[in-house]
Amino acid sequence: MRLSRYFLPVLKETPAEAQIVSHRYMLRAGMIKQASAGIYSWLPLGFKVLKNIENIVHEEQQRAGHIPMLMPTLQSADLWRESGRYDGYGEEMLRMKDRHGRDMLYSPTAEEMFTDVFRSYVKSYKDLPLTLYQIQWKFRDEIRPRFGVMRGREFFMKDGYNFDLTKEDALHAYNRHLVSYLRTYERMGLQAIPMRADSGPIGGDYTHEFLVLADTGESEVFYDSKVTDISLGKRDIDFDDVAQCQAVMDEFTSLYARTDETHVEAEFNEVPEDRRRVARGIEVGQIFYFGTTYSDKMGATVVNDQGDHVPVHMGSHGIGVSRLLGAIIEASHDDKGIIWPEGVTPFHCGIINLRQGDDAADAACESLYSALTAAGLEPLYDDRNERAGGKFATMDLIGLPWRITVGPRGLKNGVVELTSRKTGESVEMPPEQAVAKVVEIYANL
């Protein structure tokens, strides 16, 4: 992409309605535009990051053996009446009637829809275990939407549902999701801590939220600081290995880590004083096991090996895909702008031409652009006829992890400048060496 041809409506001033860093930078970097309260248009730069996050979620879900599909955003109220949630869900549910007077709703979640699909087609225990998921738009009519995509009314979400014969099988699915979520967040450059949480309107006995520590988080969290020393890294996890998944669950949840809804002061006080932490956190995902709550009410049964019809054990598992953009920015920024982790960046590298129109500089930038593209990377080439300060400010604001700066003075010495957005460190090197370095960085992700 060449910036002279790209649609990047960067703002110099911070809009008055933006209260937190992620909202300010997403508006200023031309990533989103508010359509109405809590509802946003996703502009090209924001849409690229959204798709990158979505792709990581898909890859890790399918690595864990989960199967993607897609449900409608509009649902019949009849299914929700079967489960007993239609009247109890509250005013966050957007209700409407179609032209025939039938009660409809805009999906805030999809337990009922997935249960209906399951009961329609799965009849035998031999078809279990089964986990289905989707990444789809949802709507919850927040009374006070705020903080941009962090607390919007319309949001992009991964929601998955496991169907298992026994509680033991379903708890393995629960653990499997925890492992896959940890890997998902780490690939995005985030440390998301699983914390014992409240199940809310979805219900269930087992639930963990995944929270990213940030001063602007809506949840107060209490945790043992040792939990921040644990990472999954590049471990080779066999998702069918019950003991291995349970071991990861134990490792990441044995230390104290709870949201304010489930906090127990007496238990927290048992943590050594120097390791007790109270902070704010941003929820970016949640996993639930709720047994036969929905299968009992909606007749989701299978025939077991004894010939008996038994209700399946279920869980649901969500990741806030659009919300993650805000969480990443809250966790990774400075006073100049966003600092994207390599795993989700909209472009792998920025190229700045300090002397647009200079034959040598133009040719060097074109060569860098072609070489990076040929290596399978997406560079963003700032070929605008703008002053250097403006180009640097734009690159810092949109937060690409790496920048190659090309100017006549450096080219006379056969070098360009490679700069890390995260550290601010710059190194001069020949152009082909800069390309090789950037290619190596992304090959090692």
Side-chain angles (χ1 to χ4, degrees), residues 398-438:
I398 66 176
L400 307 186
W402 296 94
R403 183 187 77 219
I404 301 176
T405 305
V406 180
R409 184 179 302 172
L411 289 175
K412 286 180 181 178
N413 298 318
V415 297
V416 296
E417 189 176 72
L418 179 64
T419 303
S420 165
R421 176 70 181 89
K422 185 174 183 179
T423 67
E425 295 177 0
S426 296
V427 180
E428 289 187 338
M429 59 183 67
E432 53 281 353
Q433 189 176 331
V435 170
K437 179 64 175 175
V438 173

Side-chain angles (χ1 to χ4, degrees), residues 39-56:
I39 301 174
Y40 293 88
S41 298
W42 289 81
L43 306 183
L45 194 74
F47 185 60
K48 279 182 71 67
V49 182
L50 186 70
K51 297 304 288 184
N52 289 343
I53 291 173
E54 179 186 4
N55 289 340
I56 290 173

Side-chain angles (χ1 to χ4, degrees), residues 141 156 158:
D141 201 2
F156 202 42
K158 173 260 162 180

Side-chain angles (χ1 to χ4, degrees), residues 197-218:
D198 181 62
S199 61
I202 290 181
D205 300 325
Y206 295 77
T207 180
H208 282 84
E209 285 181 354
F210 293 79
L211 289 107
V212 174
L213 300 177
D215 292 340
T216 51
E218 71 269 73

Side-chain angles (χ1 to χ4, degrees), residues 12 20 48 71 99 131 142 152 158 174 228 233-234 238 243 254 285 325 327 329 345 355 396 411:
K12 291 183 179 180
I20 62 172
K48 279 182 71 67
M71 291 294 192
R99 67 193 300 166
T131 295
E142 294 276 356
K158 173 260 162 180
Y174 186 92
T228 61
K234 294 190 176 182
D238 180 356
S254 60
L325 273 84
I329 295 170
T345 181
R355 189 73 60 83
D396 284 341
L411 289 175

